[in-house]
Amino acid sequence: MASLKKILALVVLIECTILTESSRLLEKKKKKNDGYGDNIFNVVNFGAIGDGLKDDSKGFKDAWDAACGSSASSPAVVVPQGKTFLLQPLTFNGRCNSNNITFQIDGKLIAPSEPSAWECKRNCHHWIGFKNLDGLSIQGSGTINGQGSKWWKLYCKDYNTGCQLRKPTGFLIANSKNVEISGLTFEDSPKMHIAFESSTSIHASHLRIKAPGNSPNTDGIHIQRSTNVTIHNTTIQTGLLFSLLVLFHLYVTLFQY
C-alpha cells in the first residue's frame, strides 16, 4: 500500500510538472505574439495607451530605446492597428546596435491639435524625427496626422516672441543612411509633411501624402543636402501653391549636394 501511494504521488508530481511547463510555454508564446518577443517591441507593452487622448510619447520612446539597444539582429518597434496614439514632438536617435531596425506603424499617430499644447523646449523644428541611423525600415498601413489646421492659420504677427516660433515639419529623417519608408499615409502636417535632410540612400515608396489645397507650405516631400534619394509609386496631394501632384509608377532619382 505504501509503495502504491508513492507511485501515485510520483505520477501526480510528474503531471504537475508537465502542466507547469506547458503553461510556461503557452505564456511565453502569448507574450511573443503580444510584442514581448526577443526582437519585437510593441509600444503598448511599454506603456502606450492608444486612446487618442493620453500622451503616449514615453511608451514610444521606451520601446525605441529598448529596440535600439537590443542585441537582436533585426529588432522591430510595433505600433498596433486599431489604436490612435497621441504624441508630443519626439526624436528617435540612432547609434543602435543593429543595422536592420524596423519601425512598423499600423495604428494612427496624431499630434496635439492646439499649437499651444505642443511641448517644445524652444521651437518645434519637427514633430516626429529619426536621426543618426544606418539601416532603418519605416513601414506599415498606418496614418500619421499632424493636425495642422490651427497651425495653418498662424502668421508671424500672431506670435509675441519676434517670430521665433516656426511651424514644425511633420516627419523628419536626418543624418541617416540606408533608410526605407513605405506604405504609410501622411495627413495635415503643420508645414512640410516629410523632410530628408543631410542623408543618403533613402528609398520612399507607396506613400500617400495629403492636405487641403488651401493649407500653406505643406510640401509633400522636402529634400535638402541629401544624395541618392528615390521616390516612386507615391501620391502627393498638398497645398504648396498647387494642390495635386501624383506620381504613379514613376521612379525618380534625386541627387542634391
Side-chain angles (χ1 to χ4, degrees):
M1 181 64 68
S3 298
L4 181 59
K5 289 182 177 179
K6 288 181 179 180
I7 292 173
L8 289 174
L10 181 60
V11 170
V12 171
L13 179 61
I14 292 173
E15 288 181 347
C16 289
T17 302
I18 293 173
L19 288 172
T20 300
E21 181 63 16
S22 297
S23 298
R24 188 185 68 82
L25 292 174
L26 286 172
E27 183 65 20
K28 182 178 180 181
K29 182 178 180 180
K30 179 179 182 297
K31 285 184 176 182
K32 185 172 183 179
N33 290 336
D34 287 345
Y36 282 108
D38 292 338
N39 69 320
I40 304 297
F41 301 87
N42 190 322
V43 296
V44 171
N45 296 327
F46 286 83
I49 302 300
D51 62 0
L53 301 173
K54 186 182 185 307
D55 179 8
D56 289 317
S57 304
K58 186 178 186 302
F60 274 63
K61 183 66 165 56
D62 289 348
W64 172 260
D65 289 345
C68 185
S70 171
S71 59
S73 60
S74 302
V77 175
V78 173
V79 181
Q81 64 181 356
K83 291 180 177 293
T84 299
F85 300 91
L86 173 65
L87 298 180
Q88 287 289 343
L90 188 60
T91 299
F92 302 103
N93 284 301
R95 306 289 191 262
C96 298
N97 291 334
S98 172
N99 288 333
N100 185 27
I101 298 180
T102 298
F103 205 107
Q104 181 76 29
I105 304 174
D106 292 319
K108 184 175 183 179
L109 310 185
I110 60 172
S113 59
E114 294 287 344
S116 60
W118 285 54
E119 296 177 0
C120 304
K121 292 182 179 179
R122 187 177 178 184
N123 294 334
C124 292
H125 176 264
H126 60 270
W127 174 33
I128 298 173
F130 292 84
K131 292 185 176 181
N132 305 309
L133 287 154
D134 180 4
L136 171 67
S137 177
I138 306 169
Q139 62 187 35
S141 59
T143 298
I144 299 172
N145 191 312
Q147 301 209 99
S149 60
K150 292 187 178 179
W151 282 99
W152 303 335
K153 299 175 183 178
L154 294 178
Y155 295 94
C156 200
K157 62 182 178 60
D158 296 317
Y159 298 121
N160 297 319
T161 55
C163 292
Q164 292 301 309
L165 295 177
R166 302 295 179 186
K167 298 174 185 177
T169 295
F171 198 90
L172 171 71
I173 295 174
N175 304 107
S176 297
K177 58 183 178 179
N178 300 315
V179 177
E180 294 188 4
I181 177 170
S182 63
L184 299 167
T185 297
F186 293 83
E187 298 176 340
D188 298 345
S189 177
K191 195 169 67 172
M192 60 189 73
H193 283 76
I194 301 173
F196 302 141
E197 297 182 1
S198 303
S199 297
T200 186
S201 298
I202 309 296
H203 179 57
S205 66
H206 299 92
L207 303 177
R208 186 180 182 190
I209 306 170
K210 58 183 181 178
N214 62 351
S215 57
N217 300 316
T218 52
D219 312 32
I221 300 176
H222 181 83
I223 303 168
Q224 63 180 11
R225 299 187 303 275
S226 296
T227 61
N228 193 24
V229 177
T230 64
I231 304 168
H232 72 97
N233 284 24
T234 289
T235 300
I236 302 175
Q237 297 172 286
T238 63
L240 173 68
L241 301 181
F242 49 86
S243 63
L244 178 62
L245 172 60
V246 182
L247 303 173
F248 278 119
H249 306 294
L250 177 63
Y251 188 92
V252 181
T253 303
L254 301 172
F255 295 91
Q256 293 190 357
Y257 300 90

